[in-house]
Amino acid sequence: MKASVIIPNLNGAGWLRDSIESVWAQTEQDFELIVIDNGSTDESLDIARSYCGRDRYTLIENAGNTGFSHAVNQGIAIAKGEYMALFNNDAFAEPDWLAELIKTADADPKIFAVSSLMLRYYEPELADDAGDYVTILGFACKRGDALKASRYTKPCRVFSACGGAALYRKSILDEIGVFDELFFAYYEDVDLSWRANNFGYRNVYCPTARCRHICGATTGAVRYNPFKSIQSGRNSILLPYKNQPILMLVLNFIPMLLGYLLKVLMFRLRGFGGDYAKGFREAWAALPKINKPKFKWRNLPNYVWVEFSLIAGLFKYIVYRVQRALKIT
């Protein structure tokens, strides 16, 4: 089987059926669909159950919310595909979305992840995500967020694929590991792509794999809320600690400290300072549990590439903030 499409769901009654139907309507039909329900209490569980008995469809029902990472890992564990295609329950794929992702991945066995062009559902002329990047300040950012989608018509290498609509090569997942469940939600996809970068694999962006996305529909966080603030506070600490060798952590300590101070100020101004601080406290408790990959000399060129990408990410972020301040799309 070529691909396994995995959709985690939590209370997605308003959009799950349309999301699933957009997957069934793909031009590429050599796939299975796996839906993992994380304890939904609305009608979305009944929607998910209504497809049971259909060929190439599997439903996993969890009693409660186990987190995005755990749910996706459940799907990967039973998947039969050569590729794992993650898809949000509030995303809606164009008919050739899966075919374009697979065509891109098939072109090079060193490609680990392929990121889609995610368009804003209510403003489809604007990008929601065209791959992610990380700055030396420790910020993980969505490339193209709220900018014109016409800016992002060329394929390219990206630091990370957005797990909301991305394809992953199963053989490389078997080598480097799956999603880290300590992240629960947010940044887990960046962590996985960063790990792949450290191992010398590539994450790329495919502009012809398009879908529309209702940003924040499941978590209720279009921008920020207490849940997202806690997750951001915790995972923004875990992400660089886990993926940077000690020398890189020392080298980048001052800019990361500056980045964290800026984040603390930003979250306080938005009224979520206490939640962000709670995330920080959770991070310190979680650090001993992190499975930090061992430094390997053969990966030195990959660490260097990552370091320059973090520096370049800072300049991308500055340009983006200027564009947003000037209301340039």
Side-chain angles (χ1 to χ4, degrees), residues 6-192:
I6 299 171
I7 300 179
N9 175 65
L10 175 62
N11 294 332
W15 43 84
L16 178 63
R17 187 179 299 280
D18 288 342
S19 180
I20 289 176
E21 289 298 331
S22 77
V23 173
W24 287 131
Q26 292 298 295
T27 57
E28 170 62 67
Q29 284 290 305
D30 188 15
F31 71 89
E32 62 178 340
L33 176 57
I34 302 171
V35 173
I36 304 94
D37 186 82
N38 254 352
S40 292
T41 56
D42 68 357
E43 296 175 0
S44 63
L45 181 54
D46 291 331
I47 293 171
R49 286 172 174 167
S50 71
Y51 291 93
C52 290
R54 182 164 180 166
D55 188 35
R56 299 180 288 120
Y57 178 78
T58 302
L59 172 63
I60 297 174
E61 297 185 29
N62 292 324
N65 185 6
T66 64
F68 179 89
S69 300
H70 179 266
V72 169
N73 286 345
Q74 285 180 290
I76 293 173
I78 66 169
K80 303 179 182 69
E82 177 183 350
Y83 296 110
M84 305 292 105
L86 269 58
F87 201 57
N88 276 6
N89 67 344
D90 57 352
F92 314 94
E94 294 190 357
D96 57 353
W97 168 75
L98 184 58
E100 290 297 315
L101 290 175
I102 291 173
K103 181 172 70 173
T104 299
D106 278 346
D108 184 354
K110 295 292 284 185
I111 291 175
F112 167 60
V114 186
S115 198
S116 307
L117 172 56
M118 302 180 73
L119 306 170
R120 290 191 167 195
Y121 184 80
Y122 297 107
E123 301 170 287
E125 73 280 4
L126 301 181
D128 177 55
D129 192 290
D132 298 336
Y133 63 94
V134 181
T135 79
I136 201 167
L137 299 177
F139 299 175
C141 308
K142 297 198 297 183
R143 179 172 171 261
D145 185 22
L147 301 180
K148 289 182 179 178
S150 57
R151 292 174 176 267
Y152 302 97
T153 59
K154 295 182 179 180
C156 62
R157 182 173 183 178
V158 292
F159 190 90
S160 170
C162 173
L167 190 79
Y168 298 90
R169 192 181 301 271
K170 179 62 162 56
S171 61
I172 298 179
L173 281 171
D174 292 339
E175 176 188 349
I176 70 174
V178 292
F179 289 87
D180 190 332
E181 296 180 15
L182 280 177
F183 283 73
F184 195 83
Y186 294 109
Y187 296 175
E188 72 293 319
D189 48 358
V190 182
D191 167 64
L192 182 60

Side-chain angles (χ1 to χ4, degrees), residues 24 38 57 93 179 188 215 237 245-247 253 260 281 316 325:
W24 287 131
N38 254 352
Y57 178 78
F179 289 87
E188 72 293 319
C215 183
I237 295 286
I246 298 301
L247 180 59
F253 177 77
Y260 290 132
R281 292 192 296 271
K316 292 178 184 177

Side-chain angles (χ1 to χ4, degrees), residues 137-141 185-187 221-237 258-280 317 321:
L137 299 177
F139 299 175
C141 308
Y186 294 109
Y187 296 175
V222 176
R223 293 301 295 167
Y224 301 99
N225 66 6
F227 173 77
K228 184 175 181 179
S229 300
I230 293 170
Q231 296 295 309
S232 296
R234 183 182 69 245
N235 295 345
S236 64
I237 295 286
L258 175 61
Y260 290 132
L261 291 174
L262 289 173
K263 282 284 191 178
V264 168
L265 176 62
M266 183 192 72
F267 276 89
R268 284 182 65 85
L269 290 175
R270 285 169 169 77
F272 299 108
D275 299 304
Y276 194 71
K278 181 180 179 182
F280 263 42
Y317 181 71
R321 295 315 310 178

